[in-house]
Amino acid sequence: MRVVLIGAGNLATHLGRALVEAGHDVPQVWSRTQASASALAAQLGAEALTDVGAISMEADAYVFALKDSALESVIRQVCPLRTDGVFFHTAGSMPMDVFADSARHYGVFYPMQTFSKQKTVDFSEIPVFVEASDERTREVVGALAESVSRRVSWLSSADRKYLHLAAVFACNFANHCFAVSEQLLKEHGLAFDVMLPLIDETVGKVHQMSPAKAQTGPAVRFDENVIQRHEQLLAEHGQWQQMYELMSRSIHQMTQQ
Protein backbone atom coordinates (compact mmCIF):
# COMPACT_ATOMS: atom_id res chain seq x y z
CA MET A 1 0.00 0.00 0.00
CA ARG A 2 0.93 3.65 -0.40
CA VAL A 3 0.81 5.12 3.09
CA VAL A 4 1.31 8.80 3.88
CA LEU A 5 2.56 9.52 7.39
CA ILE A 6 1.18 12.66 8.99
CA GLY A 7 3.54 13.20 11.89
CA ALA A 8 7.24 12.49 12.37
CA GLY A 9 7.65 11.81 16.08
CA ASN A 10 8.62 8.69 18.00
CA LEU A 11 5.63 6.55 17.00
CA ALA A 12 5.68 7.69 13.37
CA THR A 13 9.38 6.87 13.16
CA HIS A 14 8.95 3.26 14.31
CA LEU A 15 5.73 2.73 12.35
CA GLY A 16 7.29 4.14 9.19
CA ARG A 17 10.24 1.78 9.46
CA ALA A 18 7.91 -1.18 10.06
CA LEU A 19 5.74 -0.27 7.07
CA VAL A 20 8.73 -0.03 4.74
CA GLU A 21 10.15 -3.32 6.06
CA ALA A 22 6.76 -4.94 5.38
CA GLY A 23 6.93 -3.84 1.75
CA HIS A 24 4.67 -0.80 1.82
CA ASP A 25 5.50 2.45 0.04
CA VAL A 26 5.69 5.55 2.24
CA PRO A 27 5.93 8.32 -0.40
CA GLN A 28 5.50 11.29 1.94
CA VAL A 29 6.06 12.36 5.53
CA TRP A 30 4.35 15.53 6.78
CA SER A 31 5.31 17.43 9.90
CA ARG A 32 4.84 20.98 11.16
CA THR A 33 8.63 21.39 11.14
CA GLN A 34 10.96 20.79 8.20
CA ALA A 35 13.68 19.28 10.39
CA SER A 36 11.37 16.55 11.75
CA ALA A 37 9.84 15.78 8.36
CA SER A 38 13.26 15.61 6.67
CA ALA A 39 14.81 13.41 9.36
CA LEU A 40 12.15 10.70 9.04
CA ALA A 41 11.70 11.06 5.27
CA ALA A 42 15.43 10.43 4.78
CA GLN A 43 15.13 7.12 6.61
CA LEU A 44 12.12 6.00 4.58
CA GLY A 45 13.09 7.29 1.15
CA ALA A 46 10.12 9.64 1.24
CA GLU A 47 9.36 13.25 0.39
CA ALA A 48 9.40 15.61 3.37
CA LEU A 49 6.47 18.04 3.62
CA THR A 50 5.36 20.90 5.82
CA ASP A 51 2.58 22.10 3.50
CA VAL A 52 -0.74 20.30 4.08
CA GLY A 53 -1.81 21.20 0.54
CA ALA A 54 1.08 19.19 -0.92
CA ILE A 55 -0.05 15.90 0.65
CA SER A 56 -0.81 13.33 -2.04
CA MET A 57 -4.35 12.71 -3.26
CA GLU A 58 -3.43 9.17 -4.35
CA ALA A 59 -2.45 7.32 -1.16
CA ASP A 60 -4.21 4.13 -0.06
CA ALA A 61 -4.06 5.21 3.58
CA TYR A 62 -3.22 8.29 5.64
CA VAL A 63 -1.93 7.68 9.15
CA PHE A 64 -2.12 10.54 11.66
CA ALA A 65 0.59 10.03 14.30
CA LEU A 66 0.21 13.32 16.16
CA LYS A 67 -0.18 14.51 19.72
CA ASP A 68 -3.83 14.62 20.80
CA SER A 69 -3.97 18.41 20.99
CA ALA A 70 -3.01 18.76 17.30
CA LEU A 71 -5.04 15.88 15.88
CA GLU A 72 -8.42 17.51 15.28
CA SER A 73 -6.97 20.62 13.67
CA VAL A 74 -4.84 18.69 11.19
CA ILE A 75 -7.69 16.28 10.40
CA ARG A 76 -9.88 19.24 9.41
CA GLN A 77 -7.15 20.48 7.07
CA VAL A 78 -6.31 17.17 5.41
CA CYS A 79 -9.39 14.96 5.15
CA PRO A 80 -12.01 17.11 3.37
CA LEU A 81 -9.69 17.56 0.37
CA ARG A 82 -9.33 13.78 -0.07
CA THR A 83 -12.91 12.49 -0.05
CA ASP A 84 -12.00 8.93 -1.08
CA GLY A 85 -9.12 8.60 1.36
CA VAL A 86 -8.90 6.09 4.20
CA PHE A 87 -7.70 7.77 7.38
CA PHE A 88 -6.43 6.40 10.70
CA HIS A 89 -5.14 7.92 13.89
CA THR A 90 -2.76 6.22 16.33
CA ALA A 91 -3.90 7.78 19.62
CA GLY A 92 -4.86 5.68 22.60
CA SER A 93 -7.26 8.14 24.19
CA MET A 94 -8.95 9.78 21.17
CA PRO A 95 -12.24 8.35 19.82
CA MET A 96 -12.49 7.10 16.26
CA ASP A 97 -15.27 9.62 15.60
CA VAL A 98 -12.83 12.51 15.74
CA PHE A 99 -12.87 11.99 11.95
CA ALA A 100 -16.65 11.88 11.60
CA ASP A 101 -17.21 15.45 10.38
CA SER A 102 -14.27 15.41 7.97
CA ALA A 103 -14.06 11.96 6.34
CA ARG A 104 -16.12 9.03 5.07
CA HIS A 105 -13.62 6.22 5.65
CA TYR A 106 -11.77 6.34 8.95
CA GLY A 107 -10.50 4.25 11.82
CA VAL A 108 -7.87 3.69 14.49
CA PHE A 109 -4.46 2.00 14.38
CA TYR A 110 -3.19 2.06 17.97
CA PRO A 111 0.15 0.33 18.70
CA MET A 112 0.29 -0.08 22.47
CA GLN A 113 3.96 0.52 23.17
CA THR A 114 6.26 3.23 24.46
CA PHE A 115 8.49 4.56 21.68
CA SER A 116 11.80 6.41 21.66
CA LYS A 117 13.61 7.16 18.41
CA GLN A 118 16.92 5.90 19.81
CA LYS A 119 15.55 2.52 20.98
CA THR A 120 14.83 -0.18 18.40
CA VAL A 121 11.67 -2.26 18.93
CA ASP A 122 10.35 -5.40 17.27
CA PHE A 123 7.11 -4.04 15.84
CA SER A 124 5.83 -7.54 15.08
CA GLU A 125 5.51 -8.17 18.85
CA ILE A 126 3.61 -4.97 19.59
CA PRO A 127 -0.13 -5.39 20.27
CA VAL A 128 -2.00 -3.26 17.72
CA PHE A 129 -5.63 -2.33 18.42
CA VAL A 130 -7.74 -1.37 15.42
CA GLU A 131 -11.19 0.04 14.74
CA ALA A 132 -13.03 0.94 11.52
CA SER A 133 -16.01 3.04 10.50
CA ASP A 134 -17.00 0.88 7.51
CA GLU A 135 -16.08 -2.25 5.57
CA ARG A 136 -13.60 -0.57 3.25
CA THR A 137 -11.71 0.91 6.19
CA ARG A 138 -11.89 -2.43 7.99
CA GLU A 139 -10.15 -4.17 5.08
CA VAL A 140 -7.42 -1.53 4.81
CA VAL A 141 -6.63 -1.12 8.51
CA GLY A 142 -6.82 -4.86 9.09
CA ALA A 143 -4.40 -5.63 6.27
CA LEU A 144 -2.04 -2.84 7.29
CA ALA A 145 -1.96 -3.91 10.94
CA GLU A 146 -1.48 -7.60 10.15
CA SER A 147 1.42 -6.78 7.83
CA VAL A 148 3.46 -5.25 10.66
CA SER A 149 2.23 -7.01 13.83
CA ARG A 150 1.41 -10.57 14.86
CA ARG A 151 -0.86 -9.30 17.65
CA VAL A 152 -3.81 -7.46 16.10
CA SER A 153 -7.12 -7.00 17.97
CA TRP A 154 -10.34 -5.16 17.18
CA LEU A 155 -11.37 -2.80 19.97
CA SER A 156 -14.00 -0.07 20.32
CA SER A 157 -13.14 3.51 21.23
CA ALA A 158 -14.99 3.09 24.53
CA ASP A 159 -12.86 0.13 25.58
CA ARG A 160 -9.65 1.62 24.21
CA LYS A 161 -9.95 4.49 26.71
CA TYR A 162 -9.53 1.99 29.55
CA LEU A 163 -6.74 0.19 27.73
CA HIS A 164 -4.88 3.49 27.47
CA LEU A 165 -5.54 4.29 31.14
CA ALA A 166 -4.16 0.89 32.15
CA ALA A 167 -1.10 1.51 29.96
CA VAL A 168 -0.42 4.81 31.74
CA PHE A 169 -0.27 2.96 35.07
CA ALA A 170 1.85 0.11 33.69
CA CYS A 171 4.29 2.28 31.77
CA ASN A 172 4.28 6.00 32.53
CA PHE A 173 3.63 5.80 36.26
CA ALA A 174 5.99 2.85 36.71
CA ASN A 175 8.73 4.74 34.86
CA HIS A 176 8.12 7.79 37.06
CA CYS A 177 8.76 5.57 40.08
CA PHE A 178 12.07 4.58 38.48
CA ALA A 179 12.86 8.30 38.06
CA VAL A 180 12.06 8.99 41.73
CA SER A 181 14.29 6.07 42.71
CA GLU A 182 17.09 7.43 40.52
CA GLN A 183 16.84 10.89 42.11
CA LEU A 184 16.84 9.54 45.67
CA LEU A 185 19.94 7.48 44.92
CA LYS A 186 21.67 10.42 43.24
CA GLU A 187 21.06 12.62 46.28
CA HIS A 188 23.00 10.10 48.37
CA GLY A 189 25.84 9.33 45.98
CA LEU A 190 24.52 6.04 44.61
CA ALA A 191 24.21 4.96 40.97
CA PHE A 192 20.83 3.92 39.58
CA ASP A 193 22.28 0.82 37.92
CA VAL A 194 22.24 -0.95 41.31
CA MET A 195 18.44 -1.10 40.83
CA LEU A 196 18.52 -2.77 37.41
CA PRO A 197 18.65 -6.41 38.61
CA LEU A 198 15.73 -5.68 40.95
CA ILE A 199 13.74 -3.99 38.18
CA ASP A 200 14.45 -6.83 35.76
CA GLU A 201 13.31 -9.43 38.27
CA THR A 202 10.17 -7.43 39.12
CA VAL A 203 9.19 -7.11 35.46
CA GLY A 204 10.15 -10.71 34.73
CA LYS A 205 7.81 -12.01 37.43
CA VAL A 206 4.70 -10.59 35.78
CA HIS A 207 5.37 -12.72 32.71
CA GLN A 208 4.70 -15.72 34.95
CA MET A 209 2.17 -14.57 37.55
CA SER A 210 -0.40 -11.90 38.30
CA PRO A 211 1.14 -8.59 39.44
CA ALA A 212 -1.01 -8.75 42.57
CA LYS A 213 0.43 -12.19 43.38
CA ALA A 214 3.98 -10.97 42.69
CA GLN A 215 3.70 -7.99 45.06
CA THR A 216 6.20 -7.88 47.93
CA GLY A 217 7.45 -5.25 50.37
CA PRO A 218 6.36 -3.61 53.63
CA ALA A 219 3.01 -2.40 52.26
CA VAL A 220 1.74 -5.96 51.69
CA ARG A 221 1.70 -6.64 55.44
CA PHE A 222 1.38 -2.91 56.20
CA ASP A 223 4.46 -2.83 58.38
CA GLU A 224 3.81 0.58 59.98
CA ASN A 225 7.28 0.90 61.55
CA VAL A 226 9.02 0.59 58.17
CA ILE A 227 6.42 2.71 56.38
CA GLN A 228 6.70 5.53 58.92
CA ARG A 229 10.50 5.53 58.74
CA HIS A 230 10.37 5.74 54.94
CA GLU A 231 7.86 8.59 55.07
CA GLN A 232 10.14 10.48 57.46
CA LEU A 233 13.02 10.09 55.01
CA LEU A 234 10.81 11.74 52.37
CA ALA A 235 10.07 14.81 54.53
CA GLU A 236 11.84 17.10 52.06
CA HIS A 237 9.92 15.64 49.12
CA GLY A 238 6.28 16.28 49.97
CA GLN A 239 4.77 14.90 46.76
CA TRP A 240 6.84 11.74 46.95
CA GLN A 241 5.84 11.31 50.57
CA GLN A 242 2.18 11.51 49.57
CA MET A 243 2.78 9.07 46.71
CA TYR A 244 4.46 6.64 49.09
CA GLU A 245 1.55 6.76 51.53
CA LEU A 246 -1.16 6.43 48.89
CA MET A 247 0.60 3.62 47.04
CA SER A 248 1.31 1.73 50.28
CA ARG A 249 -2.37 1.84 51.23
CA SER A 250 -3.44 0.81 47.72
CA ILE A 251 -0.97 -2.09 47.69
CA HIS A 252 -2.15 -3.32 51.07
CA GLN A 253 -5.82 -3.08 50.10
CA MET A 254 -5.36 -4.86 46.78
CA THR A 255 -3.25 -7.71 48.18
CA GLN A 256 -5.78 -8.40 50.96
CA GLN A 257 -8.64 -8.99 48.52
Side-chain angles (χ1 to χ4, degrees):
M1 294 187 201
R2 290 166 298 174
V3 184
V4 169
L5 284 178
I6 300 172
N10 292 339
L11 192 159
T13 297
H14 287 279
L15 177 57
R17 292 171 184 166
L19 290 170
V20 169
E21 289 174 6
H24 300 289
D25 178 24
V26 180
Q28 295 178 324
V29 174
W30 177 91
S31 177
R32 291 185 185 276
T33 65
Q34 186 65 50
S36 296
S38 297
L40 181 52
Q43 297 180 49
L44 306 180
E47 178 187 11
L49 302 175
T50 57
D51 178 10
V52 168
I55 294 174
S56 171
M57 297 282 189
E58 307 297 329
D60 297 304
Y62 300 83
V63 179
F64 291 74
L66 302 168
K67 60 183 181 181
D68 291 2
S69 60
L71 184 58
E72 293 185 69
S73 173
V74 179
I75 283 174
R76 287 194 296 267
Q77 295 176 64
V78 173
C79 297
L81 302 176
R82 295 154 185 83
T83 54
D84 289 329
V86 178
F87 305 95
F88 313 118
H89 74 64
T90 60
S93 59
M94 296 293 283
M96 177 178 70
D97 288 346
V98 69
F99 288 105
D101 293 334
S102 303
R104 290 189 298 166
H105 308 292
Y106 54 88
V108 175
F109 181 108
Y110 172 50
M112 194 183 66
Q113 183 56 280
T114 176
F115 295 103
S116 299
K117 290 180 182 178
Q118 302 84 356
K119 177 72 168 59
T120 301
V121 297
D122 182 355
F123 213 98
S124 68
E125 293 298 325
I126 296 174
V128 176
F129 296 88
V130 292
E131 189 177 10
S133 65
D134 60 280
E135 189 56 35
R136 178 182 171 191
T137 306
R138 185 179 180 87
E139 291 177 2
V140 174
V141 71
L144 204 63
E146 290 174 0
S147 72
V148 296
S149 173
R150 297 190 290 132
R151 305 181 65 181
V152 178
S153 301
W154 293 91
L155 191 69
S156 70
S157 289
D159 288 332
R160 183 165 29 84
K161 289 189 298 185
Y162 289 96
L163 177 73
H164 188 252
L165 174 60
V168 167
F169 274 93
C171 175
N172 306 132
F173 288 177
N175 190 73
H176 180 62
C177 288
F178 298 156
V180 170
S181 173
E182 181 180 39
Q183 185 61 34
L184 285 171
L185 291 169
K186 184 178 179 180
E187 290 176 2
H188 296 278
L190 295 167
F192 180 67
D193 62 9
V194 301
M195 289 292 166
L196 296 181
L198 176 63
I199 291 170
D200 290 343
E201 178 64 15
T202 301
V203 174
K205 279 185 182 180
V206 300
H207 286 268
Q208 301 174 12
M209 65 181 78
S210 160
K213 297 287 187 184
Q215 189 72 59
T216 61
V220 173
R221 57 190 180 274
F222 213 77
D223 188 333
E224 293 191 50
N225 290 333
V226 175
I227 291 171
Q228 288 175 3
R229 285 199 297 271
H230 285 172
E231 290 180 355
Q232 289 169 3
L233 292 173
L234 291 169
E236 295 182 4
H237 299 284
Q239 282 189 324
W240 298 352
Q241 190 181 62
Q242 292 175 42
M243 285 168 50
Y244 185 100
E245 180 183 359
L246 288 171
M247 291 185 71
S248 293
R249 293 189 182 281
S250 180
I251 288 168
H252 182 68
Q253 183 178 13
M254 184 174 286
T255 55
Q256 299 310 302
Q257 294 175 354

